[in-house]
Amino acid sequence: MAQQTFKNPFRPGAGQLPPYLAGRQDEQNEFRAAIKESPIIRNLIITGLRGVGKTVLLETLKPLAIKEGWLWAGTDLSESASISEQNLAIRIIADISTLIAGFPISETDNKQIGFTREDKNPVIGGFDFLIKIYSITPGLSSDKLKAVLDFVWNLVKEKAKGVVLAYDEAQILKDQATDKQYPLSLLLEVIQFLQRKQIPYILVLTGLPTLFPNLVECRTYAERMFHIMTLDKLNYDESKEAITHPIKRTGCPVTFTETAIEEIIKYSGGYPYFIQFLCKEIFDSYLQQTNIGIVTPVISIPGIVRKLDTDFYSGRWAKLTDKQRDLMKVIAQMDTCEQEFSIQDILEKAKELKENFSASHVNQMLTKLSEAGLVFKNRHGKYSFAVPMISEYIKRLIQNSQQMKTLFDDNESF
């Protein structure tokens, strides 16, 4: 019965906190150092491929900030929040309003922001109150947001050391010159203004590798505003810790053999999401077999990898055209496919594989693949895969296709 009710400790869901965070101590220390600076002189960017643990790391920074006496506000950014300057400003106000919900607004505060003294009832800080400040402040959206955040700091400064504004999926933030909307510029301008006044706000953004180029393209000084923490896959020892530490608890009915650990590390590539996925499936399979009386459970790692392919990769792959898939197959067979590659590299490999692509065609398709979130253009002008270990998935597709062709050829020989 104990085995039937024992809870699986592994959590492969997007942004789910794992039972044990391996290999991110340096990044946590960087954050601790940043919030201890006076005045605040740097903001943080957490970037990396999907599945590398950006959201999880961001979630672990929140209790660190609170422990140090900082207030924390933020959320996942959405397309609607980033479509205009006003939408982004309202998003920030909505997030920060929860921090002041319990703070009474004094009569002096009311007078300072333009409310009459006829309001004799005590006013409690909140979203509606901050929106009033935003609406009555003259100027542009940036001026209005500056006034709101300045007011908030004056309200909480006796109780807090500073305010962290933390936003996930920040790569969607872009200025839209054609629509005359500059939400990303607004965010950078407002934060820089507050920090120049030595008001302790710190901005923490997480997102895909396109995030930082977007910031630099928006404002050249953005490079000096941020410290970049690029998350990579875990090394061998860190991967092993992530696998074994959660099952060291007393009473855990599942153990992983050294062979199983080696296979998990191999197929996960050290990416935290894949480690959690593989471990969860193995854990569940082991329990199900023992619960029905199988003394020596048999775990099929290749079978679990096929499930990973279906859950993580196949939806993205299904959206591609046949020609885009052909190009991705060429890239996946390059030696540098998991690092970076140029259009010329692709053309040379295509020629070797007897695939017909022109430079202009490759360039156009890379643009489409970038829009689909499968590749991105890095700061060196070369391209990289935006999805971890997708080359291994594509190689498995190629291998399966070749095996099926061989099978049909053999059948035809009869």
Side-chain angles (χ1 to χ4, degrees):
M1 181 64 68
Q3 290 184 358
Q4 293 176 339
T5 58
F6 196 91
K7 188 175 181 180
N8 192 325
F10 297 101
R11 305 183 189 100
Q16 292 289 320
L17 284 174
Y20 175 75
L21 183 66
R24 301 307 184 207
Q25 288 73 34
D26 289 344
E27 288 80 8
Q28 290 176 334
N29 291 336
E30 287 278 1
F31 176 73
R32 288 190 183 98
I35 60 176
K36 288 181 180 178
E37 290 176 342
S38 183
I40 297 298
I41 58 174
R42 57 176 170 168
N43 305 281
L44 299 179
I45 288 176
I46 302 171
T47 186
L49 301 182
R50 293 200 184 280
V52 82
K54 301 181 297 295
T55 302
V56 168
L57 176 60
L58 187 65
E59 286 298 312
T60 67
L61 300 183
K62 183 176 181 178
L64 298 182
I66 294 172
K67 183 179 179 180
E68 294 293 331
W70 284 64
L71 299 177
W72 180 284
T75 186
D76 291 354
L77 284 176
S78 63
E79 295 288 350
S80 59
S82 59
I83 201 170
S84 69
E85 297 166 32
Q86 180 166 302
N87 279 22
L88 180 61
I90 292 174
R91 172 73 271 165
I92 294 172
I93 293 171
D95 296 331
I96 207 165
S97 66
T98 61
L99 301 180
I100 65 166
F103 285 82
I105 309 300
S106 69
E107 184 176 315
T108 303
D109 293 324
N110 280 341
K111 290 171 62 179
Q112 179 183 343
I113 63 171
F115 292 106
T116 67
R117 297 183 61 178
E118 295 176 1
D119 184 5
K120 300 297 183 181
N121 297 320
V123 179
I124 301 298
F127 177 77
D128 291 340
F129 190 87
L130 295 183
I131 283 295
K132 286 182 180 179
I133 300 176
Y134 182 85
S135 63
I136 67 174
T137 300
L140 304 173
S141 295
S142 58
D143 301 312
K144 296 172 179 290
L145 185 58
K146 290 172 188 175
V148 171
L149 297 183
D150 192 2
F151 175 83
V152 168
W153 173 244
N154 284 317
L155 192 63
V156 305
K157 63 183 179 182
E158 300 300 325
K159 302 289 186 179
K161 291 183 180 178
V163 180
V164 179
L165 292 178
Y167 287 98
D168 200 4
E169 299 293 342
Q171 75 276 351
I172 68 171
L173 267 179
K174 293 181 181 179
D175 286 344
Q176 308 291 341
T178 54
D179 297 326
K180 297 182 180 180
Q181 291 294 330
Y182 304 92
L184 183 52
S185 292
L186 174 141
L187 179 62
L188 298 182
E189 178 190 342
V190 169
I191 294 300
Q192 189 181 52
F193 168 81
L194 295 169
Q195 291 176 347
R196 279 179 175 172
K197 290 185 64 178
Q198 298 190 16
I199 300 175
Y201 279 88
I202 185 169
L203 183 63
V204 181
L205 301 176
T206 72
L208 297 175
T210 52
L211 169 57
F212 188 61
N214 289 347
L215 293 171
V216 174
E217 183 180 351
C218 163
R219 287 288 186 272
T220 55
Y221 60 71
E223 198 157 1
R224 301 189 298 274
M225 283 182 65
F226 290 93
H227 172 66
I228 305 173
M229 298 190 293
T230 302
L231 299 190
D232 201 353
K233 56 189 179 183
L234 303 178
N235 62 33
Y236 179 87
D237 290 336
E238 293 165 346
S239 298
K240 191 170 184 178
E241 283 183 10
I243 296 166
T244 59
H245 194 277
I247 58 175
K248 287 181 179 178
R249 294 177 297 159
T250 302
C252 181
V254 178
T255 58
F256 294 149
T257 64
E258 286 298 322
T259 300
I261 293 170
E262 294 293 332
E263 288 291 287
I264 294 169
I265 293 175
K266 171 187 172 183
Y267 282 104
S268 70
Y271 286 96
Y273 174 83
F274 295 157
I275 290 174
Q276 294 295 311
F277 186 98
L278 295 173
C279 288
K280 181 181 186 301
E281 293 297 324
I282 292 172
F283 195 103
D284 284 344
S285 179
Y286 186 100
L287 281 188
Q288 288 174 25
Q289 292 181 54
T290 57
N291 286 342
I292 61 174
I294 297 176
V295 178
T296 307
V298 177
I299 307 298
S300 172
I301 299 290
I304 294 173
V305 170
R306 282 194 293 273
K307 184 173 182 181
L308 173 63
D309 287 346
T310 301
D311 290 1
F312 191 80
Y313 295 112
S314 61
R316 294 176 171 89
W317 188 254
K319 295 178 181 179
L320 301 181
T321 66
D322 289 342
K323 202 63 179 174
Q324 288 171 340
R325 292 178 186 180
D326 290 341
L327 181 65
M328 291 285 281
K329 289 177 182 178
V330 169
I331 299 171
Q333 295 176 78
M334 296 168 52
D335 293 337
T336 60
C337 64
E338 287 296 330
Q339 286 80 49
E340 61 181 24
F341 43 86
S342 66
I343 293 177
Q344 186 59 37
D345 294 333
I346 297 172
L347 292 173
E348 291 175 2
K349 190 65 178 181
K351 184 178 180 181
E352 176 188 329
L353 297 173
K354 295 181 172 55
E355 295 284 350
N356 185 26
F357 289 104
S358 67
S360 61
H361 196 191
V362 171
N363 186 45
Q364 291 172 9
M365 283 196 290
L366 286 174
T367 299
K368 292 294 184 182
L369 291 172
S370 179
E371 292 171 356
L374 291 171
V375 302
F376 68 94
K377 194 172 186 179
N378 61 35
R379 295 185 66 197
H380 305 293
K382 294 189 175 184
Y383 292 86
S384 300
F385 277 137
V387 180
M389 297 188 70
I390 194 171
S391 64
E392 296 300 318
Y393 167 71
I394 296 172
K395 288 174 185 175
R396 289 193 288 272
L397 291 179
I398 295 172
Q399 184 180 18
N400 291 340
S401 176
Q402 291 171 343
Q403 289 173 346
M404 291 297 293
K405 183 178 184 302
T406 301
L407 179 62
F408 282 119
D409 289 345
D410 289 344
N411 287 336
E412 288 174 3
S413 66
F414 290 103

